[in-house]
Amino acid sequence: MPVATSDSAALAMKAAFIPAQPDFAAEALLRRQGARAVCGVDEVGRGPLAGPVVTAAVILDPDNLPQGVADSKKLSALQRAALAEEILAKALAVSIASLPARVIDAGNIRAAALAAMRMAVDGLALCPDYALIDGRDIPPRLRCRAFALIKGDARSLSVAAASIIAKNMRDKMMQRAESSYPGYGFGKHMGYGTAQHLAALTQMGAVPGLHRFSFAPLKILAKK
């Protein structure tokens, strides 16, 4: 069933305020207008100096919504892990995609993040009728209609759920990197440019395939 042409205007009005907690209002609006499956999409890992960009797409069950879902940045690691399990147990479909540092370096982080978002949507077992994308940009060649929702992880329950899934997965990936490359502190800073990380880069150099050589600190180190 097609979505009514008024969906963008109505969603824009919905995006004019931020609720106390992410809610299901945007998804419910789209469902009333004919979208049977609405997915939330978010990414993590745009800013780090190392590691992949990770995205997730989540289609929640309107009759079995997870409880306690919030913007992943406001949750502890333990809270995210517990909520990720609940989301996986209750959602109608979940998909995760990532692109490594080499792909990021070959283009740019924005393009890599958008490509990974599209991959996550493509990977959903249930084809969505509509996607709510966190941020200002809609991935090109998306297989469904979409709306870019600024601060979507604070507004939409589906986007917040995707944020939790993506953040929980990326943290696990960086913790594994810590095991393979001890001394950098990946399990603590998750690849971000902390003082510990920058000191380790100066002492031990960058890790090919893991560090993003197109990012400024790595470029500066390479010139020394």
Side-chain angles (χ1 to χ4, degrees), residues 2 22 34 56 96 107-108 123 126 143 155 211:
I96 303 171
N108 59 68
L126 178 62
R143 64 171 175 167
R155 292 187 165 103
H211 278 103

Side-chain angles (χ1 to χ4, degrees), residues 1-4 6-7 10-11 23-39 58-65 92 126-132 157-158:
M1 184 182 298
V3 178
S6 61
D7 56 353
L11 278 172
D23 59 33
F24 206 65
E27 294 90 333
L29 171 64
L30 290 169
R31 286 174 59 81
R32 287 195 299 271
Q33 295 184 348
R36 291 164 293 185
V38 180
C39 72
V58 176
I59 300 176
L60 294 176
D61 182 351
D63 297 319
N64 192 21
L65 295 174
L92 296 176
L126 178 62
C127 184
D129 299 302
Y130 215 103
L132 295 172
L157 203 62
S158 299

Side-chain angles (χ1 to χ4, degrees), residues 100-124:
R102 284 195 176 98
V103 173
I104 295 168
D105 287 340
N108 59 68
I109 184 60
R110 176 180 175 273
L114 292 175
M117 283 182 171
R118 184 180 67 250
M119 291 165 58
V121 174
D122 286 346
L124 287 165

Side-chain angles (χ1 to χ4, degrees), residues 154-222:
R155 292 187 165 103
S156 160
L157 203 62
S158 299
V159 176
S163 173
I164 289 168
I165 293 292
K167 174 62 175 169
N168 187 61
M169 176 56 69
R170 190 178 189 279
D171 284 356
K172 288 182 178 180
M173 296 168 79
M174 295 310 296
Q175 286 159 4
R176 289 188 179 183
E178 170 73 15
S179 299
S180 300
Y181 304 101
Y184 288 90
F186 292 127
K188 294 180 180 178
H189 53 64
M190 304 303 169
Y192 283 88
T194 64
Q196 178 192 12
H197 191 182
L198 294 174
L201 280 170
T202 301
Q203 295 169 6
M204 299 185 289
V207 179
L210 186 62
H211 278 103
R212 302 174 182 180
F213 289 90
S214 59
F215 279 40
L218 278 300
K219 287 182 179 179
I220 294 171
L221 285 173

